[in-house]
């Protein structure tokens, strides 16, 4: 029996880091900084550190998922981005190492950020790192119990946005809470799209994602609700804070395209396009909110 030849290229490693999910990292930091600027307290260095923490966590989660799903065999029949472990392009140990290196980068940047703002954020960071690994890692991953979207809403919505705002302004605001709910909803929609695509393979593999539990039709309806939330918040923030935030409605172009495809029954690789559209809408929405609140 010949030994397995691992041939992952740099492009394969980048694709396995799933760039289409990176807006999940950028959006909460932009939104949180916008909320801090609205309090006249934007600070560049905490913004930079928060961006490193969030980006490194997203990449770490993606590599951890690649490793954990790969060794369990739940990635054997998948469409979408490159899977290093399941495709035997890289040693499972190397993929796991890449995940923990990413978590280490997030941890170091988070530690510095906590020391500059509040020591108890170290505990919050530890919870975030544990959540990133046990999403699909360990003996009882919560991502296999329908809690993935809930965790993403909390970690990449509430904690990421409000944490970013707090480390720059020293307090959180009603505007920040609204933005945190919005980004959390959009981030969850990104993950839900991925899980809708994989219902056919996750279900027989024993991976009970929220999409598997709800079923295809209900999951698509939930996706619609999640992408509607940010625009309700945009309208309210415009009334209560600063009407210029309504420029964020421009991102609705990409949102409507994504909603149309999901509610028209897009499947398989068509949903990979929806992932990109959803991420684009989230990045644009948060960027426009950032600009408007900075002007405010």
């Amino acid at each position: 029996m010949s030994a397995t030849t691992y041939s992952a290229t740099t492009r394969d490693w980048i694709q396995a880091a799933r760039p289409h999910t990176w807006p999940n990292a950028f959006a909460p930091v932009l939104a949180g900084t916008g909320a801090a600027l609205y309090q006249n307290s934007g600070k560049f260095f905490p913004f930079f550190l928060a961006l490193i923490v969030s980006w490194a966590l997203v990449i770490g989660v993606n590599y951890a998922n690649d490793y954990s799903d790969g060794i369990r065999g739940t990635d054997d029949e998948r469409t979408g981005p490159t899977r290093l472990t399941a495709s035997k392009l890289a040693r499972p140990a190397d993929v796991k190492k890449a995940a923990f290196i990413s978590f280490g980068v997030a941890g170091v940047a988070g530690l510095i950020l906590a020391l500059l703002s509040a020591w108890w954020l170290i505990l919050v960071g530890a919870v975030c790192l544990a959540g990133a690994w046990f999403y699909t890692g360990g003996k009882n991953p919560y991502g296999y119990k329908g809690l993935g979207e809930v965790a993403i809403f909390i970690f990449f919505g509430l904690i990421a946005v409000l944490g970013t705002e707090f480390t720059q302004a020293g307090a959180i605001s009603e505007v920040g809470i609204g933005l945190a709910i919005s980004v959390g909803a959009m981030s969850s929609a990104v993950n839900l799209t991925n899980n809708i695509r994989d219902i056919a393979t996750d279900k027989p593999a024993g991976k009970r994602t929220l999409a598997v539990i709800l079923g295809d039709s209900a999951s698509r309806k939930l996706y619609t609700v999640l992408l509607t939330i940010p625009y309700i918040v945009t309208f309210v923030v415009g009334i209560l804070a600063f009407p210029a935030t309504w420029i964020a409605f421009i991102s609705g172009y990409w949102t409507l395209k994504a909603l149309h495809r999901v509610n028209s029954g897009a499947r398989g690789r068509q949903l990979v396009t929806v992932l990109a559209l959803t991420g684009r809408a989230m990045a644009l929405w948060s960027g426009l909110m950032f600009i408007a609140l900075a002007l405010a």
Side-chain angles (χ1 to χ4, degrees):
M1 182 180 295
S2 60
T4 301
T5 301
Y6 299 103
S7 57
T9 64
T10 300
R11 184 177 184 278
D12 290 330
W13 281 97
I14 293 173
Q15 288 302 308
R18 302 184 189 181
H20 64 266
T21 66
W22 292 356
N24 290 52
F26 306 143
V29 178
L30 285 173
T33 301
L37 287 168
Y38 186 68
Q39 297 191 60
N40 298 312
S41 299
K43 298 175 182 177
F44 175 76
F45 191 51
F47 162 81
F48 177 70
L49 288 173
L51 193 61
I52 292 176
V53 171
S54 191
W55 194 12
L57 271 179
V58 167
I59 293 174
V61 167
N62 289 333
Y63 283 139
N65 290 352
D66 187 302
Y67 166 77
S68 297
D69 285 345
I71 62 173
R72 284 190 173 92
T74 53
D75 266 353
D76 289 348
E77 300 292 336
R78 290 285 181 89
T79 57
T82 300
R83 266 77 172 186
L84 297 172
T85 307
S87 300
K88 295 181 172 55
L89 289 171
R91 293 179 179 84
D94 290 341
V95 179
K96 184 178 182 180
K97 184 185 299 182
F100 277 91
I101 289 173
S102 299
F103 292 152
V105 171
V108 171
L111 177 61
I112 297 171
L113 189 58
L115 293 175
L116 291 174
S117 50
W119 69 267
W120 50 265
L121 287 175
I122 297 174
L123 302 179
V124 175
V127 172
C128 290
L129 289 172
W133 172 250
F134 288 109
Y135 173 51
T136 54
K139 294 182 179 180
N140 294 293
Y142 63 84
Y144 281 35
K145 299 179 179 179
L147 296 175
E149 283 75 16
V150 174
I152 286 172
F153 181 84
I154 293 171
F155 291 125
F156 289 102
L158 301 183
I159 292 178
V161 174
L162 296 178
T164 299
E165 181 184 18
F166 180 83
T167 56
Q168 296 184 47
I172 60 175
S173 63
E174 293 85 354
V175 169
I177 292 172
L179 300 188
I181 292 171
S182 299
V183 172
M186 297 181 93
S187 292
S188 296
V190 171
N191 196 65
L192 183 61
T193 304
N194 191 66
N195 288 334
I196 290 172
R197 183 196 67 203
D198 294 334
I199 288 176
T201 52
D202 284 342
K203 191 172 183 178
K207 186 175 182 179
R208 298 184 74 248
T209 64
L210 184 60
V212 168
I213 293 171
L214 294 178
D216 184 87
S217 179
S219 296
R220 292 172 191 267
K221 291 176 182 176
L222 176 58
Y223 175 86
T224 301
V225 171
L226 290 172
L227 282 196
T228 301
I229 290 172
Y231 298 98
I232 296 173
V233 171
T234 300
F235 181 73
V236 174
V237 169
I239 293 174
L240 300 180
F242 192 47
T245 55
W246 287 341
I247 64 171
F249 280 114
I250 294 173
S251 65
Y253 172 76
W254 303 109
T255 299
L256 289 173
K257 289 187 69 172
L259 286 171
H260 173 71
R261 296 193 184 192
V262 167
N263 289 297
S264 296
R267 298 184 182 280
R269 292 194 177 277
Q270 294 173 330
L271 286 171
V272 176
T273 302
V274 172
L275 282 170
L277 289 171
T278 310
R280 193 176 302 166
M282 178 167 57
L284 182 58
W285 182 89
S286 59
L288 291 173
M289 290 295 286
F290 167 81
I291 292 170
L293 291 169
L295 292 174

